[in-house]
Amino acid sequence: MFLSTDMEGTAGVVDWGQVRGPSTEYEYYRGQLQSEVNAAIDGALGAGATEFLVNDSHSTMQNLRPDELHGRASYLSGKHKPLYMMQGLDDSFDAAMFISYHGSAGSTSSVLHHTYNPRAIAEVRLNGVIAGEAGINALAALAHGVPVVLISGDQVTIDEALPFCPEIEAVVVKESVSHNAALSLHPDTARELIRDGAQRALERLADARLPSITLPAELTVRFHSHAFAELVCALRGVERQAEKVVVISNDDPLQLFRAFIATVLLTRGVSE
């Protein structure tokens, strides 16, 4: 079982200060994230899963406490990963889960919405459809023949993922009100839903399908500034479509995902 974890989708999280340390608030909410990840593992254990890899994919990617991961899960941490949120996934995994994910840069109704690099990326579309990180990351899952079976976060996150992962077990732990406000479930309730959802997802694994993404696929990336669009055109396979827009196309979903991650890392190097 492969688990990719973010943090903005955790129940109760509504502010950047809660997901970036060091601070008392961050320490509290990293504990809530840990509990939601463990709930997913507990549910998977209940369905018979025996091996887990948790890819800590938020910010500096060192938010979890490895000795507190249930199921003796392996822990992949550190911010310099060639495949970023999907590092560690290969065709040996039976399923993937995305825990504490959030809405895309193009979804103004989702709390703390962004797509990989909020300083640079204004919107991403996959085959013409607005895609958040879940939909983009599904490209890597498709490439390795691994179904995405569960996603947790707010309803916007789920709605954006459904065009690409239509049969996921969806776990909504909060209702976004604005960019910085949400109505969240009690943490215990959120964990119960995640645990039960993970168990149900794996109990019907035999019927799980791969991400629904037509190949060859195309990612259209709109940046906040024309300078970012100009910069990433130095990468092979990236073409300028408009002043602030580039298009990346490939019939290999993994190569398309890699090219997108390269644009992210390049813009991060400049914007940060």
Side-chain angles (χ1 to χ4, degrees), residues 118-139:
R119 292 186 177 93
I121 296 175
E123 182 186 86
V124 177
R125 289 179 179 264
L126 175 53
N127 289 342
V129 179
I130 288 180
E133 292 170 5
I136 297 168
N137 293 347
L139 285 165

Side-chain angles (χ1 to χ4, degrees), residues 110-201:
S110 185
V111 68
L112 299 185
H113 61 92
H114 64 281
T115 305
Y116 270 94
N117 183 359
R119 292 186 177 93
I121 296 175
E123 182 186 86
V124 177
R125 289 179 179 264
L126 175 53
N127 289 342
V129 179
I130 288 180
E133 292 170 5
I136 297 168
N137 293 347
L139 285 165
L142 174 62
H144 291 296
V146 178
V148 179
V149 298
L150 179 143
I151 300 175
S152 73
D154 72 348
Q155 187 63 54
V156 175
T157 303
I158 303 305
D159 291 344
E160 289 183 335
L162 285 174
F164 314 107
C165 304
E167 297 180 359
I168 55 167
E169 189 72 33
V171 182
V172 178
V173 301
K174 59 186 174 185
E175 177 186 344
S176 289
V177 175
S178 70
H179 181 67
N180 286 107
L183 174 62
S184 294
L185 299 176
H186 188 281
D188 289 345
T189 303
R191 291 192 289 268
E192 289 169 5
L193 291 177
I194 291 171
R195 182 189 64 237
D196 294 346
Q199 183 163 344
R200 285 194 303 272

